[in-house]
Amino acid sequence: MELVDFETQVAGNHAHGLTTKRSPCGTWFYKPELASDARGTNERAFYDAYVDRAWDGGASVEGGAATPRSALERAFVDARVPRCPTAVTGANDDALDVEGYLRLNNLTHGYERACVIDLKIGTRTWDPAHSKEYVEKRKASDEGTTLATLGFKVCGARYFDANGALVKISRARCKEIRSSEELTRELLEDFVRDPASGEANNWFWPALLRQLLSEPLRLLKHRLVGTSLLVVYESGRLAPASDSAVCAPEAKLEARYIDFCHSVLKESVDEVDENFEAGLKLFQRFVEENR
């Protein structure tokens, strides 16, 4: 199978000379991964812990011991973590596997005019479990960004303006935005602005953050370090839902956590992922204050 370029990517992997790809049908997203790179190994281990097969019999196996999985945890993982069928491969999957790539479901598949934003969540992108060299590198990278003050930073975005033209935020522009609370506020507003009416749709971000913070994130057995929130919706179709959902069905909204190559297994089931949760709470406060 010959892969094609992934045109809706807004941030992330161009590692080891490989670029992100998609399957010709558009269903699958292929993320560069090398077996010799610890980041790829760690991300695959994360997906292994939550892959569909791990739910068989209501238990998963970690370190040789069976761990019960609740229906609540399964529903949360299904809703917020992309499907990764290559974490456990079978006869029907082998033909779709491509060496050097991790295969995930393409969250923009089926969208005609996909608006996409990648937001790195947390007050920092390192963990005490990481090496001293990596921690120092990430501290230097985090300095001067909105992570500590807003709980997130912008890694990339694309949306459509009032003229119907695609606006894609460049890497250089992202660096400017992630160092400014005002530019970050403007981008969040522009990202969900209705391209026809110009309406700011200021209800969207507070509604989404309320939903995310109401979910059982603490059931995950990993600390999410350097993980992003990827939001996708169909341009021009955002509308408040009449029930507890964030948007009306026609919005075709996706809001998923992605990038787990630096995740860390928790030391106990009661441990709280304070960095990631603090990021979501600061994010919520920011959008509530600016609605």
Side-chain angles (χ1 to χ4, degrees):
M1 180 182 65
E2 187 173 345
L3 302 180
V4 298
D5 291 337
F6 189 69
E7 63 279 1
T8 53
Q9 183 184 13
V10 296
N13 266 277
H14 299 279
H16 312 293
L18 299 174
T19 59
T20 54
K21 300 287 185 179
R22 67 169 176 82
S23 58
C25 66
T27 302
W28 303 111
F29 165 68
Y30 287 82
K31 180 177 182 178
E33 175 203 53
L34 290 185
S36 59
D37 191 325
R39 294 174 297 176
T41 302
N42 197 53
E43 184 156 39
R44 187 171 289 268
F46 176 93
Y47 280 111
D48 259 333
Y50 302 102
V51 74
D52 292 348
R53 191 173 297 180
W55 301 105
D56 291 350
S60 67
V61 177
E62 296 176 1
T67 304
R69 298 288 199 183
S70 69
L72 186 63
E73 182 183 4
R74 179 171 187 172
F76 170 69
V77 170
D78 287 347
R80 296 292 173 228
V81 177
R83 183 171 171 239
C84 178
T86 55
V88 176
T89 57
N92 294 330
D93 292 325
D94 292 342
L96 295 173
D97 291 342
V98 179
E99 186 177 355
Y101 288 91
L102 179 68
R103 177 164 59 97
L104 303 165
N105 59 324
N106 176 10
L107 300 177
T108 63
H109 180 56
Y111 286 78
E112 296 178 9
R113 293 161 61 82
C115 297
V116 185
I117 194 166
D118 183 315
L119 304 171
K120 192 73 68 181
I121 304 296
T123 58
R124 51 178 166 75
T125 58
W126 55 272
D127 188 270
H130 291 150
S131 69
K132 180 180 179 181
E133 292 76 16
Y134 183 77
V135 169
E136 292 304 314
K137 176 183 176 181
R138 296 314 310 167
K139 282 183 176 180
S141 179
D142 293 347
E143 187 176 0
T145 72
T146 56
L147 283 171
T149 56
L150 303 185
F152 72 98
K153 68 176 182 180
V154 175
C155 293
R158 53 170 271 160
Y159 57 92
F160 293 85
D161 65 17
N163 297 315
L166 174 65
V167 177
K168 187 168 183 178
I169 306 301
S170 68
R171 287 177 176 267
R173 182 59 174 166
C174 270
K175 288 184 178 180
E176 295 177 1
I177 293 171
R178 69 179 60 146
S179 64
S180 167
E181 293 188 13
E182 181 58 25
L183 292 178
T184 297
R185 182 196 63 75
E186 290 176 2
L187 177 61
L188 291 183
E189 186 172 283
D190 287 341
F191 177 71
V192 294
R193 188 183 303 279
D194 187 277
S197 68
E199 184 177 353
N201 286 322
N202 288 332
W203 55 270
F204 175 80
W205 291 109
L208 177 61
L209 268 296
R210 284 196 299 271
Q211 176 64 42
L212 295 178
L213 283 165
S214 73
E215 295 173 348
L217 177 67
R218 294 185 180 187
L219 292 178
L220 290 183
K221 292 173 175 57
H222 290 78
R223 298 196 292 272
L224 304 183
V225 188
T227 293
S228 290
L229 170 66
L230 190 79
V231 177
V232 184
Y233 75 93
E234 191 72 79
S235 178
R237 294 190 184 179
L238 277 186
S242 57
D243 54 19
S244 60
V246 174
C247 292
E250 58 266 26
K252 295 174 61 178
L253 175 71
E254 284 280 359
R256 302 273 184 147
Y257 299 128
I258 63 169
D259 296 337
F260 307 106
C261 57
H262 297 294
S263 63
V264 175
L265 194 64
K266 292 178 179 177
E267 296 180 2
S268 72
V269 294
D270 298 322
E271 183 182 325
V272 176
D273 187 356
E274 295 180 351
N275 173 55
F276 199 80
E277 284 197 27
L280 288 176
K281 290 176 181 177
L282 283 172
F283 190 175
Q284 182 187 41
R285 186 173 71 182
F286 179 64
V287 296
E288 289 284 359
E289 291 175 348
N290 287 280
R291 62 184 306 174

